[in-house]
Amino acid sequence: MKYLVTGGAGFIGSNFIYLLLDERPGSQVVCVDSLTYAANIHTLNAAFNNPRFTFYKEDIRNRKGIFEIFSKEKPDVVINFAAQSHVDRSIEDPGIFLETNILGTQVMMDACREYGVKRFHQVSTDEVYGDLPLDRPDLLFSEDTPICTSSPYSASKAAADLIALAYYRTYGLPVSISRCSNNYGPYQFPEKLIPLMINNALNGKPLPVYGDGLNVRDWLYVKDHCLGILAVIENGKAGEVYNLGGHNEKTNIEIVRIILHYLNKSESLITFVKDRKGHDRRYAINPEKAGRELNWSPTTKFDDGIKLTIDWYISNMTWMNECTGGEYVNYYNEMYGNRG
Ligand code: NAD
Ligand code: TYD
């Protein structure tokens, strides 16, 4: 089986590549990534040593380049992780989100049609459902919750989902979609909550918590997400959506306190800053369909996963420093400079 993985030099895509190389020993893995700011090529160091791994630096928006890769590699299965993925950046500059997340996905699906790919899997997000109220813990996102997006990021992901389902219905392209809650684990770029807070805490810098810190996210360890995607590809039905989540809701301030406590740092580092525009209040996934139909459920408990994650960043400070040099400094100053 030959898998083509887009966005494999990013957070979840790289974890997925390592899962495939470890757990599908006969497989070939082709990675396509344009190496944006969010990628770190050193993330794939171990994969480059594996003869079953091939890498192409290419942009999913480049139809000609993508078709050439398909013509050469003829993948069986395509998993589309490549995306602009950070909500805050989408608020500042939506255009690149629409181009990458919508038009790039279309290019990938057109290539899949042309080359008769057996499954196109779109990695989507629970953010397409909008948000839930804090005072209704009984409400969870299921696959038939209406799409109701808040940010340019989530709107672009929802658009891609709808186009993917249209390609299934109209052209019979065997598409599947997974919508997952917030991930955490190794190789996450430190613009996202958990690695940003770990990095700041380790460097004794303020920890910028948006608004009142009471927004809720449903956290899933990245390996569990990757196992869920594999289960959808192998056992899920074409034309279907599967929600993946861990029944693990936490407020942002809880997360920040857990990190500080584990690192033995003072809570005086916490700084409440101006809220994100349109900030979604609560996400919470109902993953029953994936449990029932795919026999998937998360295996890593949050208490263990967060320790594994913090320990990983402590042991990989070189990797972290590669991410936080250069452009990151400008990004950080622009995003957080006038926020206090
Ligand atoms: P990431 O930002 O860490 O990585 C994205 C990768 O895509 C990077 O390596 C980047 O270089 C690459 N990329 C971006 N634009 C590209 C283009 N035009 N052509 C080729 N490559 C391009 O993102 P992530 O957190 O790993 O998320 C991966 C996918 O999972 C995304 O589609 C995201 O919407 C989805 N998702 C993420 C989460 C989460 O918590 N991080 C949760 C649910 C779903
Ligand atoms: P993030 O990691 O950006 O993921 P998403 O917005 O896709 O859920 O943010 C997670 C939560 O943490 C979200 O409620 C915003 C909040 N947050 C902060 O309070 N401070 C920060 O510096 C960041 C990056 C996020």
Side-chain angles (χ1 to χ4, degrees), residues 56-73:
Y56 292 89
K57 181 176 185 306
E58 186 54 88
D59 194 312
I60 61 165
R61 294 170 296 170
N62 179 7
R63 183 170 290 269
K64 185 165 175 288
I66 292 297
F67 274 60
E68 277 169 16
I69 294 170
F70 273 66
S71 159
K72 186 158 177 237
E73 297 291 347

Side-chain angles (χ1 to χ4, degrees), residues 85-88 127 153 182 191-194 196-197 208-210 215 217 219 252 276 279-280 283 336:
S85 67
H86 190 35
V87 173
D88 289 325
E127 300 191 27
Y153 163 69
N182 286 59
E191 64 188 352
K192 305 281 168 52
L193 179 73
I194 288 182
L196 185 143
M197 296 299 170
V209 174
Y210 298 167
N215 299 63
R217 297 292 182 264
W219 294 94
N252 295 336
R276 174 186 279 172
H279 197 175
D280 280 337
Y283 302 144
Y336 295 94

Side-chain angles (χ1 to χ4, degrees), residues 9-12 33-34 36 58-60 81 83 85 124 153 157 183:
F11 168 43
I12 310 175
D33 197 301
S34 63
T36 66
E58 186 54 88
D59 194 312
I60 61 165
F81 291 90
S85 67
S124 187
Y153 163 69
K157 294 296 291 185
N183 284 213

